[in-house]
Amino acid sequence: DYDPEKAKAELELARKEMGAAFPKGFTYRFNTGSEGHKLIAEYLQAQWQKVLGLEVKLETQEWKVFINDTREGNYEVARFGNIGNFPDTEAEFMPNFRCTSPDNRSQWCNPDFERVFDEAQPITDRKERLKKIYEAEKILLEDVPVIPLYVYTQMHLQRPYVKDLAINLVDQPPMHRAYLDPNWEQNAATQAGGGANSEGGQ
C-alpha cells in the first residue's frame, strides 16, 4: 500500500544504521528505445524527490549494454520487465529470484524464500501448493528486491470479418486458424435474429 510516512520512517532508520555511509542519492537506469520507459523514470524521479527528498539521477543505456550491466549487478536501481508465456507466477516469474538463477539481476538471496519455494514443489494439490507459493511471494515482497510498478495491457482493434483470431498473453496470436469471412454481414444478421426460422418460432 502507498504509505509515505512508513517509507520516511524506514529511510530514517537506514540513515541511523548506516551513518555517513548513507548515500545522498542514487541512479535510476533504463534502456533507450521506449518513450514509456522515459516517462516512468521521470515520474519516479519526481515522486521520490517530492515525497521522500531523495536525489535521483536518470541514466539511459543501449539495450545490449543495459542487459550486460544488470546481469553483472552494475547498477543501483534499474527498470526491467518480464512477459510470461502463461499465467503462472510460480513457473514464470518467481524462479527469477532464486539464489542461483541466472536471471536474478537483483542478486537477492533469501534462505526462507528458497525453503518455502522448495516445500511447494512436491505438493500435488493445486490449492495447497498455491498457499505455499503465496507464502513465498510475501517474503519476496517484504524484502523488496523488486518494486512492481504496472502490468502490461493489450488493446486490439479487429475487423468484424476476421474470424477465429485467438488473442494470447504474449501478444503473438496464432494465425493458422484465423480466416476472413466473405459472408460476415449475412452471418451476423442471422446470429442477431436468432436463426433463419426465428420468426416462425421453430
Side-chain angles (χ1 to χ4, degrees):
D1 295 335
Y2 180 71
D3 191 341
E5 295 307 315
K6 183 177 180 180
K8 291 174 183 176
E10 291 285 348
L11 277 174
E12 190 57 34
L13 179 62
R15 284 190 178 95
K16 290 179 179 178
E17 290 179 351
M18 298 179 67
F22 186 85
K24 292 182 179 180
F26 61 90
T27 300
Y28 177 93
R29 187 176 295 174
F30 61 100
N31 62 288
T32 56
S34 171
E35 182 65 18
H37 297 167
K38 179 175 180 288
L39 292 174
I40 291 168
E42 291 173 346
Y43 175 81
L44 292 174
Q45 180 187 44
Q47 289 300 306
W48 279 326
Q49 171 64 45
K50 176 183 176 182
V51 178
L52 301 176
L54 296 172
E55 296 179 16
V56 181
K57 295 180 181 179
L58 302 182
E59 182 178 301
T60 62
Q61 285 185 314
E62 187 272 335
W63 178 245
K64 289 183 179 180
V65 178
F66 179 79
I67 286 289
N68 184 69
D69 277 0
T70 52
R71 183 184 293 116
E72 297 298 323
N74 182 25
Y75 70 97
E76 292 177 301
V77 178
R79 171 264 154 209
F80 224 87
N82 199 340
I83 299 176
N85 293 314
F86 44 89
D88 189 335
T89 60
E90 176 188 355
E92 292 287 330
F93 304 113
M94 294 178 65
N96 293 343
F97 295 95
R98 303 209 67 173
C99 296
T100 58
S101 170
D103 293 317
N104 186 355
R105 298 176 188 277
S106 67
Q107 300 185 7
W108 174 75
C109 182
N110 186 312
D112 290 332
F113 177 84
E114 297 287 314
R115 174 182 54 79
V116 174
F117 201 89
D118 286 338
E119 289 173 354
Q121 302 312 301
I123 301 175
T124 56
D125 183 281
R126 187 61 181 165
K127 290 183 178 180
E128 292 301 315
R129 185 183 180 106
L130 283 176
K131 287 180 182 178
K132 277 291 180 184
I133 295 302
Y134 294 153
E135 187 179 337
E137 283 182 344
K138 184 177 180 180
I139 295 171
L140 174 71
L141 293 174
E142 287 293 328
D143 272 9
V144 203
V146 61
I147 304 172
L149 290 176
Y150 63 94
V151 176
Y152 290 117
T153 58
Q154 301 176 13
M155 297 180 67
H156 295 273
L157 182 63
Q158 185 173 320
R159 297 284 187 178
Y161 49 75
V162 178
K163 303 299 181 181
D164 288 357
L165 181 63
I167 305 302
N168 57 26
L169 289 171
V170 293
D171 200 18
Q172 296 177 355
M175 304 298 291
H176 63 280
R177 290 193 178 94
Y179 68 97
L180 304 180
D181 182 4
N183 301 314
W184 69 274
E185 291 181 325
Q186 179 182 345
N187 293 335
T190 300
Q191 291 174 2
N197 298 321
S198 60
E199 290 184 2
Q202 298 178 10

